[in-house]
């Protein structure tokens, strides 16, 4: 006879929102603060089938958690499903609804005309082994713009999902000094060659141009998790700012930091350039929430941070103290 005592748990965990206002732009970021039961092992927000994990509000905040989540710029408002989700140690799952309002956003489109000379300049900057040796110039470019882009974006998302749970950033995020906006977030790029459309892509950052090889500053405090060549983004730096927030600095001409290094807001991490799939000297600045690209403009806006982040955190702290 073998005896073994066990606890059979068939009761799902509890999860409920504390914050009430969740106004989200398509391509934007939202913060939700919620409560979970003590037996919860994993929790967060689902946006359709994309999971955004939550983290403790503070080290000693008990069952109070926060979660930054995003609505991708390609998402359609009418097909979006958002809900809280939790799973306990026994594998029981629970869902919780919360109020949210999705704001539609119209993104501009941009026609890019490709000449033989431009194609040759772009393709020649990448190793020949990236595509078939005997393929034509156009085929090699399309491989880089499609397959390599997809591979680089997946790699970037993988890095950004392994995040620091503590908040490292503080205050308003910096925008590159004295820089003009050359391309906006969410732009639908349509590529033409010899008068015909050959490809499309979505621009998942903001292109900023200043002087040639201009200094590039860290947008906020954080830890460098990538500092090397990243395919179409060229020489790049990725900084983990904690709680699922990361920034990307692409097309650099030089990198002044190393992986694992801690940086402060305003530290010069490199210089702008035209490495990777770039036609001129500029900085590709991207902001990602758990690996999902979002519009950085929100994080450059002090009013947006105050209304959508700071007030929620302050109200949550009051409830925790009580």
């Amino acid at each position: 006879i073998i005896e073994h005592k066990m606890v059979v748990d068939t009761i799902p965990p509890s999860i409920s929102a504390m914050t009430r206002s969740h106004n989200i732009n398509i391509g934007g970021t939202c913060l939700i603060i919620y409560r979970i039961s003590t037996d919860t092992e994993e929790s967060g927000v689902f946006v359709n089938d994309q999971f955004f994990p939550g983290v403790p509000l503070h080290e000693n905040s008990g069952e109070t958690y926060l979660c930054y989540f995003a609505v991708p710029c390609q998402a359609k408002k009418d097909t979006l499903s958002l809900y809280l989700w939790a799973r306990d140690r026994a594998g029981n799952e629970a869902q919780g609804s919360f109020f949210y309002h999705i704001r539609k956003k119209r993104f501009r489109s941009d026609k890019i005309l490709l000449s033989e000379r431009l194609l040759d300049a772009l393709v020649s900057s990448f190793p020949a082994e990236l595509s078939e040796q005997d393929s034509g110039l156009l085929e090699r470019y399309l491989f880089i713009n499609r397959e390599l882009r997809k591979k680089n974006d997946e790699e970037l998302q993988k890095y950004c999902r392994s995040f620091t749970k503590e908040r490292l950033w503080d205050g308003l995020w910096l925008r590159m000094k004295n820089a003009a906006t050359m391309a906006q977030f969410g732009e639908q790029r349509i590529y033409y060659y010899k008068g015909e459309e050959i490809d499309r892509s979505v621009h998942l950052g903001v292109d900023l141009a200043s002087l040639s090889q201009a200094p590039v500053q860290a947008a906020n405090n954080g830890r460098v998790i990538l500092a090397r060549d990243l395919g179409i983004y060229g020489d790049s730096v990725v900084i983990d700012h904690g709680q699922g927030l990361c920034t990307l600095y692409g097309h650099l001409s030089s990198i002044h930091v190393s992986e694992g290094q801690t940086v402060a807001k305003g530290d010069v991490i490199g210089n702008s350039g035209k490495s990777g799939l770039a036609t001129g000297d500029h900085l590709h600045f991207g902001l990602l929430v758990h690996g999902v690209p979002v519009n950085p403009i929100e994080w450059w806006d002090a009013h947006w941070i105050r209304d959508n982040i700071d007030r929620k955190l302050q109200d949550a702290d009051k409830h925790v103290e009580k």
Side-chain angles (χ1 to χ4, degrees):
I1 297 174
I2 298 175
E3 293 184 354
H4 178 71
K5 292 183 179 181
M6 67 177 68
V7 176
V8 178
D9 180 4
T10 59
I11 301 174
S14 63
I15 184 167
S16 59
M18 290 176 61
T19 44
R20 298 179 180 178
S21 175
H22 307 100
N23 299 311
I24 320 159
N25 296 309
I26 295 289
T29 311
C30 185
L31 169 66
I32 185 171
I33 300 172
Y34 59 93
R35 284 198 180 98
I36 55 174
S37 52
T38 55
D39 59 341
T40 302
E41 194 171 62
E42 187 179 14
S43 65
V45 172
F46 267 99
V47 178
N48 289 345
D49 58 352
Q50 177 77 48
F51 178 61
F52 297 86
V55 297
L57 178 64
H58 299 299
E59 186 177 354
N60 300 314
S61 59
E63 294 79 51
T64 306
Y65 273 56
L66 65 81
C67 177
Y68 290 100
F69 65 94
V71 174
C73 62
Q74 300 99 323
K76 303 297 182 183
K77 180 179 178 180
D78 298 336
T79 60
L80 280 170
S81 172
L82 280 65
Y83 57 89
L84 287 163
W85 174 88
R87 182 174 61 203
D88 63 19
R89 297 184 187 92
N92 301 307
E93 297 183 4
Q95 294 183 13
S97 61
F98 62 93
F99 172 81
Y100 60 86
H101 174 66
I102 306 292
R103 300 192 187 104
K104 288 185 178 179
K105 187 168 179 62
R106 191 181 298 273
F107 298 103
R108 57 176 283 187
S109 61
D110 186 26
K111 293 183 178 180
I112 298 179
L113 306 179
L114 299 169
S115 64
E116 195 86 12
R117 184 177 178 181
L118 179 57
L119 281 179
D120 185 58
L122 292 171
V123 170
S124 62
S125 65
F126 289 86
E129 59 268 20
L130 281 176
S131 56
E132 295 293 333
Q133 295 283 354
D134 56 350
S135 60
L137 193 62
L138 179 59
E139 289 75 17
R140 291 180 64 190
Y141 173 79
L142 291 175
F143 178 87
I144 293 168
N145 200 42
R146 294 173 182 171
E147 303 305 320
L148 186 59
R149 180 185 297 277
K150 180 181 178 182
K151 178 182 176 182
N152 296 151
D153 286 341
E154 289 174 350
E155 186 177 4
L156 179 61
Q157 291 170 15
K158 182 180 177 181
Y159 269 89
C160 294
R161 289 192 187 110
S162 300
F163 61 94
T164 304
K165 292 186 178 181
E166 294 76 27
R167 171 172 165 165
L168 304 177
W169 65 277
D170 181 50
L172 188 65
W173 297 59
L174 298 183
R175 183 184 183 277
M176 187 180 182
K177 291 183 177 180
N178 304 316
T181 299
M182 307 305 293
Q184 299 176 3
F185 176 84
E187 282 187 0
Q188 177 76 44
R189 289 182 166 177
I190 309 171
Y191 301 87
Y192 288 86
Y193 178 63
K194 294 183 178 180
E196 295 185 5
E197 180 183 329
I198 60 166
D199 207 4
R200 292 191 176 215
S201 70
V202 178
H203 189 240
L204 300 176
V206 175
D207 286 350
L208 302 169
S210 180
L211 301 174
S212 178
Q213 299 186 9
V216 173
Q217 298 174 303
N220 220 309
N221 309 329
R223 180 177 61 88
V224 177
I225 57 176
L226 183 146
R228 58 171 175 80
D229 177 76
L230 188 61
I232 65 162
Y233 297 108
D235 289 338
S236 303
V237 172
V238 177
I239 300 176
D240 173 15
H241 302 282
Q243 298 181 333
L245 304 179
C246 291
T247 48
L248 163 68
Y249 310 79
H251 305 311
L252 302 178
S253 60
S254 59
I255 295 174
H256 304 328
V257 292
S258 56
E259 294 178 9
Q261 180 178 336
T262 299
V263 294
K265 184 195 303 187
D267 284 353
V268 175
I269 59 173
N271 295 86
S272 65
K274 51 183 179 180
S275 58
L277 199 60
T279 57
D281 188 297
H282 71 280
L283 168 69
H284 174 92
F285 180 79
L287 202 150
L288 301 98
V289 176
H290 295 289
V292 177
V294 296
N295 198 338
I297 290 178
E298 294 178 339
W299 296 89
W300 291 333
D301 185 346
H303 294 289
W304 183 88
I305 291 179
R306 182 191 64 205
D307 295 341
N308 295 277
I309 307 296
D310 292 342
R311 285 181 177 173
K312 291 181 180 180
L313 294 173
Q314 291 165 6
D315 290 343
D317 284 339
K318 293 176 183 177
H319 283 89
V320 171
E321 290 173 2
K322 290 179 181 179

